[in-house]
Amino acid sequence: MENYTITIARGFGSGGKEIASTVAKELGIHCYENRILTLASQLSGIDRQLFEEVNEKLHQKQSGITSLLRGLPRRTEATPERRTFASDDQLYDYIKQIILELSKTESCVIVGKAADWVLKDNPRVLSVYIEAPRSFCRPRIMKQMGVTAETADISITETDKYRADYYQYYTNGNYWTNPVNYDMTLNTARLGIRGCVDMIKQALFMKFSDLLESEKK
């Protein structure tokens, strides 16, 4: 059975990270989010002349990236972006390299990082965008971060702007929330966390019939 990748783009507070983790757990695969950025940051800190050498090693050592990623701490709490987006092309080169290698070496769920765009030419990808209205996201952020409604609103606005700017820059002007970029767009306020998990799994088996046959066995 060929590897497959589920990419999850999500609005801040929409429950996308929880949905991604649950989908991965129920499918028996790994979920990667902040660890991709952590590893890319570590790799991009080396001398520039070693860039190609490291990339080549990552290509050759199939288990290298997954071993490195699984050794890093996973962030589970809501973490807003307080900064204005600033591009870092070398860092993003590593992020792309990690995403591409993951898609080759294992089935997994990848959250954020414009992974849907990086893997847009890969036929074994299910890309999902998850969003919800502010009335749904606000209380979730207030509870997770222990902040006021005003602070939650600011965090949502700033984080979503950062994600939109990030996506637009690294996709050469594409729009983050454009539904055409994804296989499906889900509203957690209407479907619930559980409903989104079930719909993603159903869409996965619909798109890749070989997975459904494997499940039946």
Side-chain angles (χ1 to χ4, degrees):
M1 183 176 63
E2 292 183 66
N3 292 333
Y4 63 88
T5 307
I6 301 173
T7 66
I8 304 285
R10 76 288 184 220
F12 192 59
S14 66
K17 186 183 296 186
E18 180 182 348
I19 291 166
S21 296
T22 304
V23 167
K25 182 178 180 181
E26 294 185 4
L27 291 173
I29 58 179
H30 289 95
C31 180
Y32 298 106
E33 192 232 21
N34 65 289
R35 290 178 291 179
I36 292 177
L37 177 58
T38 301
L39 178 57
S41 298
Q42 293 174 355
L43 293 174
S44 67
I46 66 172
D47 191 284
R48 181 178 287 270
Q49 67 183 3
L50 298 178
F51 184 87
E52 291 301 326
E53 180 182 337
V54 172
N55 274 354
E56 183 64 25
K57 287 182 179 178
L58 291 178
H59 272 297
Q60 293 176 353
K61 192 175 181 182
Q62 290 191 346
S63 63
I65 283 183
T66 55
S67 296
L68 290 171
L69 285 171
R70 292 173 196 172
L72 295 171
R74 185 179 179 190
R75 189 174 61 217
T76 56
E77 71 280 0
T79 307
E81 288 290 352
R82 302 287 189 190
R83 55 197 169 123
T84 301
F85 170 74
S87 63
D88 186 333
D89 292 343
Q90 179 167 315
L91 175 63
Y92 190 66
D93 281 340
Y94 279 107
I95 290 174
K96 288 195 299 184
Q97 181 67 31
I98 292 168
I99 291 172
L100 289 168
E101 287 298 316
L102 282 173
S103 70
K104 293 177 184 176
T105 58
E106 65 172 295
S107 295
C108 61
V109 178
I110 300 178
V111 182
K113 311 298 177 288
D116 63 284
W117 187 261
V118 174
L119 300 174
K120 65 183 184 301
D121 297 322
N122 185 337
R124 295 288 292 184
V125 174
L126 177 72
S127 56
V128 182
Y129 178 72
I130 297 172
E131 192 53 280
R134 184 63 60 90
S135 58
F136 178 89
C137 298
R138 182 188 299 114
R140 287 178 56 85
I141 295 302
M142 290 174 64
K143 181 178 180 181
Q144 292 174 19
M145 295 177 57
V147 297
T148 64
E150 181 181 7
T151 299
D153 281 343
I154 293 172
S155 296
I156 293 168
T157 298
E158 291 181 343
T159 303
D160 283 353
K161 184 180 187 308
Y162 181 93
R163 291 174 179 174
D165 291 346
Y166 179 102
Y167 194 92
Q168 183 175 35
Y169 179 84
Y170 290 119
T171 62
N172 300 314
N174 211 292
Y175 189 51
W176 175 48
T177 59
N178 184 354
V180 176
N181 296 339
Y182 308 98
D183 290 302
M184 61 193 305
T185 299
L186 302 176
N187 183 334
T188 38
R190 297 187 178 186
L191 297 169
I193 299 295
R194 182 69 247 174
C196 289
V197 169
D198 290 340
M199 289 195 72
I200 291 171
K201 290 170 62 180
Q202 289 173 19
L204 180 72
F205 293 133
M206 287 176 62
K207 187 171 184 178
F208 307 122
S209 57
D210 60 308
L211 299 180
L212 184 59
E213 293 302 316
S214 177
E215 282 284 303
K216 291 178 180 178
K217 294 177 183 179

